[in-house]
Amino acid sequence: MFEPPAFAISIIEKIESAGYEAYFVGGCVRDMLLSRNPSDWDIASSALPQDIISIFPKTVPTGIKYGTVTVITDEGKAEVTTFRSESSYSDHRRPDGVSFCSNIENDLSRRDFTVNAMAYSPRRGFIDPFGGRLDIKNKKIRAVGNPSERFEEDALRILRAFRFAAQLGFEIDCGTLKAAKEKAFLTAKISTERIRNELNRIFESNNPQIAFEIVANGILDFCGIKSKENLQDTANDCLRSTPLSLPSRWAAFFYLLKTRNVKAILEKLHFDNHTKNKVLKLLSELKLKLPMTPVDIKKRLANDFSPEFFTEYLNLYSALNNIDLSSQLSILNEIIERGEPFTQKMLAINGNDLIENGVASGPDCGRILRSLLDIVISNPSLNDKKTLLTLAKRTLS
Ligand code: ATP
Ligand code: MG
């Protein structure tokens, strides 16, 4: 088990010495049991926010309304939240209100999955009313209580189930999966940013292929990503071997699903322009013939590519088609190492040089620079000012 750091234990001890209960809860307990380093240390306590503020010299009232205060120490910080139960959910995504409660079991019962619904304190040991430890052992994601009701309350939990399965390499328990499928239509009510965020976390995990299960269960129907029966057998492996970058993973996902209207889907999911354009560009490049020779490669680089983007494209192409592209990658490296020109900016002359030599500014200039670039792409040794000016004059005459 991963041991909590001394600063976090001492926060728990100080709260206990003041006469309250305090436990590590949620993701940190799960991660400790999995011997993973938790991303943050969340504490649940019977103390009210005002009590916590008076116990510790340095606190930040992060979410007083929800009972959360951040305790800051020199060695680290932890969020301390008063035991809470949640009242009804009328919009399938937010509790109508929160109320504080007096015991940890109540607090744990509002949490989403058994593996996230455990508490631990060095003094009191584990509080595990829903069998989270057994589910960790069996690698299961199981809803706390009735899964249909839990997904009705908050449909984001449907996506969280798949996200935890992807991150932890777990399976979703069959009752929980069945309920996820039945309540799939409720995901249309969740903010698309939150959905995108969960999907991104799946694509950043070691099991991005779980995204296909989400699609197969109809969970993304609302945004136009529909289930495809003819997904090839190798799709899972292909997606897993794509470069671990969000644009590559999204592009591979759409490519393998043969999704149409990708632009509209990315817009519906409120992607930032940079990621959206990169995914679209990768997809349009994947449709083109693979460049084989140095000249082919430089022509593609000339088409508004950076070498980094081109490398990502090659790695993506290689994963999707299961072919070795190391020769293309080494050609690319050679082009860069030798400083061979592949953009107009890399030409030994520019528009001003042409104008000084009698070419009218405007379309002629652009046309000449483009044809000079074509020439030096095929023959990099011609990229010196004198030769290019001679060639330019020849083009004019
Ligand atoms: P991560 O390591 O990704 O942060 P986490 O388990 O800490 O995982 P958070 O989203 O930070 O996940 O939430 C902290 C805890 O709050 C969860 O472990 C869970 O107990 C509870 N929780 C969070 N979101 C929900 C939700 N939508 N419904 C029920 N409980 C939730
Ligand atoms: Mg967390």
Side-chain angles (χ1 to χ4, degrees):
M1 189 173 104
F2 191 95
E3 293 298 326
F7 85 85
I9 293 180
S10 97
I11 293 176
I12 295 227
E13 278 169 357
K14 280 212 178 97
I15 303 174
E16 295 254 348
S17 314
Y20 306 98
E21 281 177 50
Y23 301 87
F24 293 114
V25 275
C28 66
V29 181
R30 177 198 69 221
D31 289 344
M32 270 159 62
L33 286 167
L34 286 164
S35 298
R36 290 158 64 109
N37 190 355
S39 54
D40 37 37
W41 295 93
D42 290 334
I43 293 171
S45 171
S46 56
L48 290 169
Q50 281 315 316
D51 303 325
I52 299 296
I53 291 169
S54 63
I55 295 171
F56 294 96
K58 203 164 174 194
T59 55
V60 177
T62 327
I64 290 277
K65 220 172 106 192
Y66 303 98
T68 304
V69 173
T70 304
V71 173
I72 318 252
T73 75
D74 290 342
E75 289 75 37
K77 58 184 184 169
E79 281 195 351
V80 182
T81 304
T82 307
F83 294 158
R84 239 164 57 175
S85 59
E86 272 151 20
S87 47
S88 60
Y89 291 69
S90 41
D91 61 359
H92 308 288
R93 60 189 161 148
R94 260 186 314 247
D96 297 334
V98 294
S99 44
F100 298 141
C101 63
S102 59
N103 73 66
I104 181 71
E105 279 84 2
N106 264 347
D107 181 280
L108 294 177
S109 69
R110 73 173 166 88
R111 293 172 186 268
D112 47 7
F113 305 108
T114 61
V115 295
N116 289 345
M118 294 177 279
Y120 171 78
S121 95
R123 195 186 298 185
R124 298 168 205 257
F126 283 97
I127 315 282
D128 180 16
F130 308 104
R133 277 174 300 181
L134 187 64
D135 283 337
I136 284 196
K137 190 164 158 267
N138 294 328
K139 299 183 173 245
K140 289 270 181 211
I141 301 296
R142 184 196 312 275
V144 167
N146 179 316
S148 296
E149 285 170 17
R150 304 315 306 282
F151 292 149
E152 280 264 347
E153 286 170 359
D154 177 2
L156 187 72
R157 291 176 185 151
I158 297 175
L159 280 139
R160 282 172 63 88
F162 287 94
R163 191 254 287 183
F164 286 116
Q167 288 180 323
L168 305 175
F170 282 20
E171 238 178 51
I172 302 179
D173 166 71
C174 64
T176 301
L177 186 61
K178 190 166 163 265
K181 193 170 184 169
E182 277 164 18
K183 301 294 173 192
F185 67 96
L186 290 175
T187 47
K189 309 220 177 244
I190 314 170
S191 93
T192 44
E193 284 85 353
R194 295 176 81 198
I195 292 181
R196 184 196 64 218
N197 186 34
E198 294 298 328
L199 292 169
N200 280 346
R201 294 179 80 172
I202 290 170
F203 285 135
E204 281 166 342
S205 80
N206 290 330
N207 295 293
Q209 76 286 355
I210 294 232
F212 292 134
E213 281 182 48
I214 296 184
V215 175
N217 284 296
I219 292 161
L220 298 180
D221 282 4
F222 79 93
C223 66
I225 310 177
K226 295 268 164 76
S227 131
K228 289 274 177 348
E229 290 81 38
N230 58 353
L231 196 63
Q232 65 198 59
D233 296 344
T234 52
N236 285 355
D237 290 337
C238 282
L239 189 55
R240 280 176 89 144
S241 50
T242 50
L244 213 172
S245 99
L246 282 178
S248 274
R249 290 260 159 114
W250 276 98
F253 173 67
F254 289 128
Y255 177 90
L256 292 161
L257 282 169
K258 303 188 181 73
T259 308
R260 296 215 189 116
N261 298 328
V262 172
K263 184 164 180 271
I265 294 168
L266 293 171
E267 277 163 7
K268 172 133 192 162
L269 290 172
H270 290 106
F271 268 91
D272 60 283
N273 279 336
H274 175 77
T275 314
K276 181 183 87 180
N277 293 336
K278 202 163 166 189
V279 174
L280 293 172
K281 188 158 180 185
L282 284 168
L283 281 169
S284 69
E285 291 301 319
L286 285 172
K287 288 191 196 132
L288 303 179
K289 217 172 122 249
L290 187 65
M292 303 300 279
T293 65
V295 170
D296 283 350
I297 290 180
K298 282 185 276 184
K299 282 191 173 155
R300 292 287 277 275
L301 289 170
N303 188 18
D304 204 15
F305 269 51
S306 69
E308 293 72 30
F309 177 82
F310 192 70
T311 308
E312 187 167 343
Y313 152 76
L314 285 179
N315 285 326
L316 179 59
Y317 193 104
S318 156
L320 290 172
N321 298 286
N322 196 20
I323 52 170
D324 179 39
L325 294 183
S326 45
S327 76
Q328 273 85 348
L329 284 164
S330 52
I331 296 175
L332 175 68
N333 283 337
E334 276 168 27
I335 293 170
I336 291 160
E337 266 164 33
R338 292 195 196 128
E340 290 184 15
F342 53 79
T343 64
Q344 283 189 21
K345 273 205 183 114
M346 295 166 91
L347 285 175
I349 58 169
N350 59 27
N352 287 337
D353 297 317
L354 289 178
I355 293 162
E356 279 168 20
N357 281 274
V359 179
S361 59
D364 265 356
C365 254
R367 192 174 49 79
I368 294 173
L369 288 172
R370 269 194 302 279
S371 69
L372 291 175
L373 181 62
D374 278 344
I375 294 170
V376 297
I377 279 181
S378 303
N379 196 344
S381 66
L382 299 179
N383 193 25
D384 71 79
K385 200 166 175 174
K386 209 169 143 217
T387 314
L388 292 186
L389 280 175
T390 315
L391 286 168
K393 282 180 190 149
R394 212 176 287 162
T395 320
L396 276 177
S397 57

